[in-house]
Amino acid sequence: MTDRQKMFMQFIDKFIRDNGYSPSVREIAKGMGVSSTASVKNMLDRLEQSGALKRTGNIARSLETPSVGIPVLGRIKAGVPVTSEENVEGYIRLDKPIGDNHFFLRVDGESMRDKAILDGDCVLIKMTNHIKHGQIGAFRLNGEVTLKTFEMTTAGIFLMPANADFAPIPVGEYDEFQVIGTVKMVIRALEGGYDIEPA
Amino acid sequence: MTDRQKMFMQFIDKFIRDNGYSPSVREIAKGMGVSSTASVKNMLDRLEQSGALKRTGNIARSLETPSVGIPVLGRIKAGVPVTSEENVEGYIRLDKPIGDNHFFLRVDGESMRDKAILDGDCVLIKMTNHIKHGQIGAFRLNGEVTLKTFEMTTAGIFLMPANADFAPIPVGEYDEFQVIGTVKMVIRALEGGYDIEPA
DNA sequence: TCCATGTGCGAACGCCTGTTCGCCTATGGG
DNA sequence: CCCATAGGCGAACAGGCGTTCGCACATGGA
């Protein structure tokens, strides 16, 4: 994406945030200081083609910046990529300064109880390979997805539960191991105070 | 709001969720099974007047269902109503099936640690006088606001911490005591993963 | 009985808005 | 030099869209 294209995106984004509806072609032209609607259409066509923008043909103010519903992944099936459609159990809509390298994971089990993350909570995962000693993250170990504290010591890598009922998991040289990402937020619903959109 | 008006709101709401932009007057007419755009405008005028809907005059598809910024209350000052402006430290924007009898409270202290609610978490409070034995709620006791589990026994009312370092608090007959509301959701940000709008 | 309120009809007006067409300029490989 | 790519101009078209006007018909309280 060129600098010019980024400027258009920023304008559209801000307009939608400020007004709650998307700008018209002419409003974009005015805001960006070009005089022809054709120039704007040109730009929108390219932005849409690159996937930065979503439009619905011939419909007024139907511009969308695609990025609001963050998927909530439930029990992760073995053998498929984590973010596979099959694992999506719903969506949580977020105000969007968040990238598409994020998803929510519904916590299964009590192994992180003492870090105040309970069975059924939703944790926001930022997908990344960079994780530091002591950070909580999501990992894939021999096909199983798990939420643990990451510890890297002279004895090797350990995935630490936060619950005395569970044992630390050493990551062996020949284990299939992958850092899925780090935990950025925890959301817990109590007594039906909160909905996720159905998948 | 009449039943008919609720149906219109539901339609508009769903349309926006599904399409990302608001319906036109004619689309509403079609969707609601009325044949005149004037009827729809009539309805929209009333919905707007009652505050259920926001519009921008003469602008296509500018319908908004006011998405509410729920205030986040920080340290509650003594002597002022809980929801007083002075206590607001920011806002969290929620998709709106939530009433204005809700607010977020930023948790101060570790007294609910064993219920997985930590210092600095944001809890969504539904303001109500109705609370059941065993529910977590926010209370005002002799001017202090506190988050505890509510217990009602033959020995009286107790506010129970979830942390062995804190003692149960009996509510005496002459205490100034008020149930502020019940906890509906817990949100925790880790490592800057999440922003609240400034107040 | 009278009147306010909620809901509806159909037609017409006029601005709003996305699209199209043809043409132009600058930049940077090959 | 040729050409692809990014960006832009101005005019015109056709359908989208909110608004207005005048009228109609129930319901329910005064």
Side-chain angles (χ1 to χ4, degrees), chain B residues 132-195:
Chain B
K132 283 179 281 191
H133 178 86
Q135 249 182 329
I136 301 175
F139 309 93
R140 184 158 209 161
L141 185 63
N142 299 321
E144 286 283 310
V145 171
T146 185
L147 202 69
K148 294 285 183 296
T149 301
F150 182 79
E151 298 212 342
M152 196 174 223
T153 70
T154 52
I157 293 174
F158 291 85
L159 303 186
M160 305 294 292
N163 184 333
D165 298 342
F166 293 77
I169 303 172
V171 177
E173 191 176 352
Y174 301 110
D175 283 322
E176 181 231 316
F177 176 68
Q178 178 201 358
V179 177
I180 297 172
T182 54
V183 173
K184 291 292 177 189
M185 179 167 28
V186 181
I187 296 183
R188 178 181 319 133
L190 288 90
E191 304 147 37
Y194 158 83
D195 292 323

Side-chain angles (χ1 to χ4, degrees), chain B residues 89-101:
Chain B
E89 73 174 41
Y91 292 89
I92 291 176
R93 194 156 291 271
L94 284 188
D95 269 6
K96 37 139 304 194
I98 223 158
D100 61 358
N101 57 335

Side-chain angles (χ1 to χ4, degrees), chain A residues 86-103:
Chain A
E86 300 174 51
N87 297 321
V88 175
E89 73 173 39
Y91 292 89
I92 290 176
R93 198 156 288 271
L94 283 189
D95 270 6
K96 37 152 304 208
I98 222 158
D100 62 358
N101 57 336
H102 288 73
F103 62 86

Side-chain angles (χ1 to χ4, degrees), chain B residues 38-81:
Chain B
S39 306
V40 174
K41 177 167 164 51
N42 224 319
M43 192 60 89
L44 294 183
D45 286 344
R46 258 171 274 156
L47 285 172
E48 189 179 16
Q49 208 184 355
S50 76
L53 215 51
K54 208 184 129 210
R55 281 194 293 177
T56 307
N58 277 12
I59 290 207
R61 299 178 185 276
S62 64
L63 253 37
E64 291 175 75
T65 54
S67 97
V68 264
I70 311 288
V72 178
L73 309 184
R75 184 173 289 277
I76 307 294
K77 292 197 173 61
V80 299

Side-chain angles (χ1 to χ4, degrees), chain A residues 2 4-5 34-39 42-43 46 60:
Chain A
T2 66
R4 191 71 177 141
Q5 288 172 353
V34 302
S35 69
S36 172
T37 58
S39 306
N42 226 318
M43 192 60 87
R46 260 171 272 158

Side-chain angles (χ1 to χ4, degrees), chain A residues 98-117:
Chain A
I98 222 158
D100 62 358
N101 57 336
H102 288 73
F103 62 86
F104 279 101
L105 180 66
R106 186 174 293 280
V107 175
D108 180 30
E110 292 284 349
S111 73
M112 293 303 283
R113 190 190 57 199
D114 296 346
K115 292 275 189 191
I117 298 175

